[in-house]
Amino acid sequence: MLPEPERQEPETTSIARRLSLLAEQSVRCAPACCGAVATITDGGPERRVTATHPDLAPLASVQLACGDGPIPSALDAGEPVDTEDLLTEDRWPGYRALALESGVRSCVTLPFRRSGIEVTVSLYGYRPGSLEHLVRGPVGILAEQATTGLVRDRRYRAALAEVEHLETALRSRPVIDQASGIVMHVLACEADEAFGILRTISQRTNRKLADVAEAVVRAKGRGLESELSALAGPDN
């Protein structure tokens, strides 16, 4: 049996946990780097950021704010962007200045896109030298798995929401059918017309169709025409 949707870990918590774990594991797999930053967006304007060290978080923020730096460049190119020595780097002046001020001399960013989800992993080093080999080894595999997991989580939650919607619809259907039968009997109309009356009342009163049907059933056919008129409002 599928777990109840309300018992699932909140989506924002799940994403933050996965992102933080990705950054931490990336550093463990890359002894040559001093820290990592992971980011994610699911197509919206906001990009979540997690860093293994507080001094590294602003390096991501400045790039996302100005749209210039290894992260935007990697996303645009769809491939890793490696900087061997920021001291001699002539790209991204704002990011470069902040990185050097933080003691960072080298960095590499790996981008991933899957089903509308964008993930980046950036590794930083205090010493000059290429870090690109790191993202093509264990770190690249970790990022791939993490991105796939995030996509799978989103699809699973969407499936749970659909199941909940269908279960609600199935629970509501008997009372709607019963109410339609009452309307058919009292107003001497066909099934489609009876359902249309209930739906019109639902729209005009801004109430759920199931709630309207329950009100009709509670009336048990007694004074139903006036009851329907009251539910529909003065415009009926």
Side-chain angles (χ1 to χ4, degrees), residues 55 83 98 125 185-186 234:
D55 289 346
T83 302
L98 184 60
H185 175 74
V186 174

Side-chain angles (χ1 to χ4, degrees), residues 26-27 30 33 35-37 106-109 121-125 131 134-135 139:
S26 296
V27 172
C33 76
V37 169
S106 57
C107 63
V108 63
T109 296
V121 181
S122 299
L123 302 176
Y124 301 90
L131 298 174
L134 297 178
V135 298
V139 176

